[in-house]
Amino acid sequence: MRVFKFGGASVIDAASVRNLADIIRNYDEPLVIVVSAMGKITNALEELLNHYFKQDKKTTDSFNKITDFHDSILYELFPDNSKVFLKIQEIYNTLSQKLKEEPTMTYNFEYDQIVCLGELLSTLIIESYLNFTGVKCQWIDIRKLLKTDDTYREAKVDFLMSEQLINDALIKKGIYVTQGFIGSTKNNLSTTLGREGSDYTAALLAYFLDAESLTVWKDVPGVLNADPKWFDNTEKIDEMSYTDAIELAFYGVGVIHPRTIQPLKRKNIPLWVKSFLKPEESGTLIGNVEYKKLIPCFIFKMDQVLIDIYPPDLSFITEDNFQSIFEVFSRNNLKVNLMQNTAVRFRLCVNNDTQLIPKVVTELSDKYQVTTADSLELVTIRYYDHKTIERVVVNKEMILEQRSNETIQLLVKDLG
Ligand code: ASP
Ligand code: MG
């Protein structure tokens, strides 16, 4: 059994649905295809939800934007009498029915009930198109199989129950089309696993089903050693260990979702990252591969803020201080990208969150002297060497540096 995952960027219009079908035709069964909502539909559903919560006039526009988008794809792919129109209409009806009533539950609960529809729409279209063009497959409502707790918007998967249900339902034959990102509670209320959660779903399905591999189809040739947005002459990495994949995902390589790797590593399931635009090319293999080091990999985080924290009267930073400082960060859910301490100062680098930072600073100021510096850039290089460091610090002022054997992190200010 193989598992494939197609993200929103791989299904943006009729042509890309045809492309997906062409890729599937080249592979043998059994196969599970996990799909995200099409294009930017999850964002569109979030927008709709916000209007719905404010009960403002734009709710209808937002709703129409979503139905128009899917309708135009349907009309291009299917004849008018196709049964798919009825299936899609059913989802539209569920949504419009919901919008007629005022929201009575929490925002996070309503979020999951509405936003999950994006994945239902995309998978119904893809399953129908595959069957229509002769690729026999079965649509699965993953909410019946992937069971979670009721932490809406960030639901935690119940491994035992899900494993059982998934293995009972997905016999190792044929082709299944199902949704990423969504699940349901034991009372069958829809949940979501957190934005960009489809890779995680695909990894879990691969794990539960003991799949021979997972392939994530992307708009890039594989895992590159830097984001082409910041770097010319990026190189594709052909093979990578699970550890490097987890490290790179942790530092912010966007192609790999941090939560994807762990379940795969536990069962030694290889992960392929391949291009849906050039499916014949080899992509990147993440798995049990061995090497001394990779080519240098660069991760850039722009718009960083450095928070410096000083105990009063030049007293030392002690364990008690760490505890109280982390408590503030953790309670406010402000994620730390880098930290360093000296005798009398603790420094933390975070993304520029204009809501959270002032809150955290205010809270810390009760006990400490706090200063901040913004407009900084954080450069992480895994498998650095002298030349690569020189390359990234041209025209930059060095604010803070931290290195281990493999990885260096440089917090810099652009002087350009
Ligand atoms: N559709 C969801 C999102 O956009 C899940 C995913 O794409 O992975 O976040
Ligand atoms: Mg997506």
Side-chain angles (χ1 to χ4, degrees), residues 164-340:
Q164 180 77 50
L165 289 168
I166 283 164
N167 274 291
D168 289 347
L170 305 186
I171 51 160
K172 294 184 175 154
K173 237 167 80 182
I175 301 179
Y176 299 96
V177 176
T178 195
Q179 307 79 32
F181 175 57
I182 68 177
S184 83
T185 65
K186 56 177 187 303
N187 298 326
N188 301 321
L189 296 163
S190 300
T191 53
T192 64
L193 310 179
R195 285 301 305 263
E196 306 300 324
S198 291
D199 285 18
Y200 182 52
T201 304
L204 287 178
L205 289 177
Y207 174 84
F208 293 141
L209 292 164
D210 282 321
E212 76 186 62
S213 65
L214 165 63
T215 306
V216 175
W217 296 92
K218 288 275 180 187
D219 54 0
V220 285
V223 182
L224 303 176
N225 74 325
D227 187 334
K229 204 161 70 188
W230 309 116
F231 239 68
D232 300 329
N233 307 324
T234 54
E235 284 178 63
K236 178 174 74 82
I237 298 163
D238 295 330
E239 294 192 345
M240 191 188 279
S241 67
Y242 291 116
T243 309
D244 273 327
I246 289 175
E247 290 278 345
L248 289 171
F250 171 78
Y251 290 119
V253 165
V255 209
I256 313 165
H257 196 281
R259 282 189 299 178
T260 325
I261 306 295
Q262 258 118 9
L264 300 177
K265 182 175 159 48
R266 266 162 67 183
K267 283 195 177 166
N268 289 318
I269 299 169
L271 166 62
W272 290 93
V273 180
K274 278 167 73 84
S275 161
F276 59 77
L277 301 166
K278 293 184 176 157
E280 64 291 346
E281 290 186 358
S282 61
T284 296
L285 167 65
I286 296 168
N288 271 331
V289 291
E290 275 178 42
Y291 45 77
K292 280 226 171 61
K293 57 198 256 178
L294 288 178
I295 54 169
C297 300
F298 301 82
I299 301 118
F300 296 85
K301 285 195 170 149
M302 308 314 249
D303 204 10
Q304 298 293 296
V305 177
L306 180 64
I307 305 177
D308 279 336
I309 303 168
Y310 306 81
D313 312 322
L314 276 185
S315 58
F316 290 140
I317 288 265
T318 62
E319 284 68 19
D320 287 352
N321 299 135
F322 287 132
Q323 194 177 17
S324 74
I325 292 167
F326 282 132
E327 195 276 320
V328 175
F329 277 79
S330 143
R331 185 162 32 75
N332 285 289
N333 218 347
L334 184 58
K335 196 177 162 294
V336 179
N337 293 331
L338 177 70
M339 57 191 158
Q340 198 170 68

Side-chain angles (χ1 to χ4, degrees), residues 138-154:
Q138 191 185 336
W139 184 78
I140 298 283
D141 185 344
I142 201 70
R143 294 174 302 175
K144 299 208 166 92
L145 310 177
L146 197 72
K147 289 295 174 182
T148 71
D149 68 3
D150 58 1
T151 318
Y152 296 104
R153 288 186 76 181
E154 251 182 89

